């Protein structure tokens, strides 16, 4: 019998996160991708505008460009002597004249207002009358009101989204320098694990369970833009665990495993990582998700998540996601935490900080999933966020609590 390890003091989550992030030196590997393909990537350099956007004052309406001082009354007739469509250029607007103009077309010199066509009448060919006094600047989009030349429109470390690649394109970038994907090797441990498809539900032996962690961990990693090498299931044997870890540590930035991080006799992650590199095994003061391991094997980071599906899921969101974001050089990745009203009671205070699976209701409050067990994956599916409940705290209906929306924990 191996000696029983004495109980470790629990580590506060914030301390664990700071320590973990202390190991996540941002990657300096970059690549160039088409701006079309840059959604979800991380900018590796500041993006500086080399022009003003818009490049010229232009019309925000279909109508007439005028000189506001020409207007006397609704009978004042202006001579329409030019037509400026988007993509073309007009000439200087003479006194008592107007230019037929369309949305996006440059304002001709001399004009100081645009009148929308709905506010005009055309008493004769090439004539226009304006119903009310045009105000200087009306319906004109000013040069540089979106972007001024020389400005950094997107900083290094920006996580690119559809609107940001649109902005990059608006200042002329066809390709972007981005951080190379973080390469992650993923495997699950556990002799009880069976892959869906390998054994039909009615043929599952007692004690066997389908491997669910493999599916959501791989998907979460892919959502974060990682390149995933999925190594499948590794048996609960020391030699097999060591071999898998060694293979995984080459050509990967991060080795991520689930299960086997407790200190039971069938938990081989700890001795295997210790034999190959360094390991810190933490007992984090959170629920779900207490056991968590960080280490290094050769040049690769190692993170071992607990096996219970919800523990694995929550520790991924709270710890692995920020770790990966920092490796990618992302500058802003703290999840949102917003005050929300609990429309439920939570009567059992826990010694650990809890992350309760909850979802927003249409009355502006939060409902709680009935079963908060760390094995109940339906709780994660039902919820749209986590209530961050401090240690020792009960919650009464109507209390304000901190809520972390899943949307901000996944991207
Ligand atoms: P462990 O951390 O290996 O002690 O596992 C804790 C619990 O999580 C056990 O009930 C395991 O059967 C379960 N578990 C471990 N790995 C997985 C997995 N990949 N998918 C689903 N359940 C798992
Ligand atoms: Mg296990």
């Amino acid at each position: 019998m191996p000696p029983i390890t004495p109980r470790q003091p629990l580590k506060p989550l914030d301390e664990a996160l700071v320590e973990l992030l202390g190991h996540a030196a941002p990657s300096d590997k970059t690549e160039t991708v088409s701006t079309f393909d840059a959604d979800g990537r991380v900018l590796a350099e500041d993006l500086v505008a080399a022009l003003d956007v818009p490049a010229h004052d232009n019309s925000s309406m279909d109508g007439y460009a005028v000189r506001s001082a020409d207007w006397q009354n609704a009978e004042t007739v202006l001579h329409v002597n030019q037509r400026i469509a988007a993509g073309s250029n007009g000439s200087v607007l003479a006194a008592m004249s107007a230019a037929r103009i369309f949305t996006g077309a440059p304002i001709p010199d001399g004009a100081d207002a645009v009148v929308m066509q709905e506010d005009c009448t055309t008493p004769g060919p090439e004539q226009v009358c304006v119903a009310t006094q045009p105000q200087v600047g009306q319906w004109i989009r000013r040069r540089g009101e979106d972007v001024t030349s020389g400005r950094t429109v997107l900083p290094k470390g920006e996580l690119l989204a559809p609107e940001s690649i649109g902005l990059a394109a608006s200042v002329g970038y066809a390709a972007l320098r981005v951080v190379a994907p973080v390469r992650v090797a993923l495997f699950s441990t556990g002799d009880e694990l069976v892959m869906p498809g390998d054994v039909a539900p009615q043929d599952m032996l007692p004690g066997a369970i389908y491997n669910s962690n493999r599916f959501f961990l791989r998907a979460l990693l892919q959502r974060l833009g990682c390149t995933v090498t999925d190594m499948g299931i590794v048996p609960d044997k020391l030699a097999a665990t060591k071999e898998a870890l060694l293979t995984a540590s080459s050509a990967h930035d991060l080795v991520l495993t689930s299960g086997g991080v407790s200190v039971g006799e069938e938990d081989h992650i700890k001795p295997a990582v210790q034999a190959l590199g360094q390991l810190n095994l933490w007992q984090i003061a959170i629920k779900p998700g207490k056991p968590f391991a960080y280490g290094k094997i050769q040049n690769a980071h190692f993170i071992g998540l607990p096996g219970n599906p919800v523990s694995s899921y929550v520790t991924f969101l709270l710890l692995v996601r920020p770790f990966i974001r920092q490796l990618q050089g992302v500058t802003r990745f703290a999840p949102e935490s917003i005050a929300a009203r609990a429309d439920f009671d939570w009567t059992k205070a826990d010694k650990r900080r809890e992350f309760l699976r909850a979802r927003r209701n249409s009355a502006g409050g939060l409902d709680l999933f009935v079963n908060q067990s760390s094995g109940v994956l339906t709780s994660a599916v039902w919820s749209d966020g986590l209530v961050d409940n401090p240690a020792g705290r009960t919650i009464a209906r109507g209390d304000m609590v901190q809520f972390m929306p899943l949307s901000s924990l996944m991207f």
Side-chain angles (χ1 to χ4, degrees), residues 2-89:
I4 304 286
T5 328
R7 193 182 284 276
Q8 247 184 287
L10 297 185
K11 197 185 212 21
L13 176 65
D14 294 339
E15 205 177 284
L17 185 60
V18 167
E19 195 171 329
L20 187 65
L21 292 180
H23 296 288
S27 163
D28 51 14
K29 281 181 255 159
T30 65
E31 61 189 33
T32 299
V33 296
S34 160
T35 304
F36 280 122
D37 302 323
D39 180 33
R41 304 299 300 267
V42 181
L43 258 190
E45 61 190 9
D46 286 348
L47 222 62
V48 178
L51 82 173
D52 291 330
V53 181
H56 309 277
D57 288 358
N58 68 88
S59 177
S60 61
M61 282 290 165
D62 290 339
Y64 295 85
V66 300
R67 301 155 52 109
S68 57
D70 289 346
W71 192 90
Q72 300 299 318
N73 54 50
E75 272 74 56
T76 309
V77 174
L78 302 174
H79 178 55
V80 182
N81 57 7
Q82 51 178 320
R83 187 179 186 279
I84 317 168
S88 66
N89 258 304

Side-chain angles (χ1 to χ4, degrees), residues 222-403:
Q222 285 169 340
R223 280 200 181 198
L224 292 176
C226 299
T227 305
V228 184
T229 307
D230 184 345
M231 296 175 61
I233 301 168
V234 172
D236 283 326
K237 301 274 179 303
L238 183 60
T241 309
K242 276 168 69 175
E243 194 186 310
L245 287 170
L246 204 57
T247 309
S249 67
S250 88
H252 291 99
D253 305 298
L254 170 64
V255 179
L256 184 68
T257 67
S258 86
V261 285
S262 305
V263 283
E265 285 162 45
E266 295 299 334
D267 295 319
H268 299 294
I269 288 290
K270 183 178 185 233
V273 180
Q274 278 169 338
L276 301 169
Q278 305 123 269
L279 181 80
N280 302 298
L281 188 58
W282 297 332
Q283 299 297 318
I284 302 180
I286 56 170
K287 191 180 179 181
K290 188 166 66 166
F292 183 92
Y294 171 79
K296 283 227 86 161
I297 304 169
Q298 310 200 75
N299 288 323
H301 300 281
F302 167 80
I303 291 179
L305 298 177
N308 277 309
V310 186
S311 306
S312 220
Y313 177 73
V314 167
T315 45
F316 185 97
L317 299 181
L318 297 177
L319 293 157
V320 181
R321 177 192 159 276
F323 185 82
I324 288 173
R325 284 305 189 209
Q326 186 163 299
L327 285 184
Q328 295 169 328
V330 175
T331 40
R332 285 179 301 144
F333 53 74
E336 270 177 75
S337 177
I338 53 179
R341 185 191 68 238
D343 287 347
F344 60 86
D345 292 303
W346 183 247
T347 53
K348 308 169 296 227
D350 199 276
K351 287 200 292 287
R352 289 180 266 158
R353 178 172 169 186
E354 294 172 291
F355 291 91
L356 305 170
R357 272 75 70 215
R359 84 177 177 201
R360 286 168 283 206
N361 60 38
S362 56
L366 298 172
D367 295 328
L368 194 69
F369 191 70
V370 283
N371 188 337
Q372 294 287 328
S373 157
S374 63
V376 175
L377 209 43
T378 40
S379 70
V381 173
W382 183 89
S383 65
D384 67 0
L386 302 172
V387 169
D388 179 357
N389 190 38
R393 180 88 58 95
T394 57
I395 300 168
R397 195 172 284 272
D399 285 354
M400 294 304 281
V401 296
Q402 287 306 119
F403 179 73

Side-chain angles (χ1 to χ4, degrees), residues 188-189 192-193 209-214 258-262 267 305-309:
S188 325
T189 71
E192 72 281 30
L193 300 178
I209 58 166
Y210 288 122
N211 185 350
S212 52
N213 298 2
R214 180 178 182 182
S258 86
V261 285
S262 305
D267 295 319
L305 298 177
N308 277 309

